[in-house]
C-alpha cells in the first residue's frame, strides 16, 4: 500500500490535493483546506516544498550578504 501525505497514510478515498512542485498527494484534512478552498486554488505547494524554498532563499541571502558592504566600498572609492 502506497503512503501519501504528511501523515504517510494511504489514499483512503477522502479528498486529496497534489503539490505542484513535488507532485505528492495530500489529504485535504491534513493540509487544513476545505474542498471549496481547494477548488478555488490555481496551484498548491505542500509545506515541505514551501520550507525547502524558504531555506533556499535564506541560503541565497547569506551568500549575497557575505561580500563586502556596498556602502563601505563606495565610501573607500570616494576618498
Amino acid at each position: 500500500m502506497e503512503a501519501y501525505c504528511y501523515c504517510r497514510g494511504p489514499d483512503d478515498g477522502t479528498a486529496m490535493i497534489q503539490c505542484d512542485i513535488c507532485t505528492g498527494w495530500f489529504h485535504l484534512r491534513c493540509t487544513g483546506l476545505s474542498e471549496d478552498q481547494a477548488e478555488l486554488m490555481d496551484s498548491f505547494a505542500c509545506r515541505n516544498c514551501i520550507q525547502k524554498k524558504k531555506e533556499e532563499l535564506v541560503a541565497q541571502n547569506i551568500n549575497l550578504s557575505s561580500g563586502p558592504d556596498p556602502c563601505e566600498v563606495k565610501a573607500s572609492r570616494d576618498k
Side-chain angles (χ1 to χ4, degrees), residues 3-76:
Y4 298 90
C5 194
Y6 310 120
C7 70
R8 303 310 305 153
D11 178 357
D12 58 6
T14 61
M16 298 182 82
I17 190 167
Q18 187 176 32
C19 176
D20 294 325
I21 299 170
C22 70
T23 67
W25 285 93
F26 300 86
H27 302 109
L28 287 183
R29 70 177 176 274
C30 295
T31 66
L33 295 169
S34 70
E35 287 190 46
D36 290 338
Q37 290 171 317
E39 286 179 21
L40 293 173
M41 297 176 76
D42 291 328
S43 63
F44 170 75
C46 71
R47 67 180 181 216
N48 300 331
C49 289
I50 291 170
Q51 182 61 36
K52 184 176 178 182
K53 187 63 174 174
K54 284 180 183 178
E55 290 168 2
E56 289 172 3
L57 291 172
V58 167
Q60 287 174 3
N61 189 33
I62 290 169
N63 290 338
L64 291 174
S65 64
S66 64
D69 183 341
C71 295
E72 290 177 11
V73 172
K74 182 181 182 321
S76 67

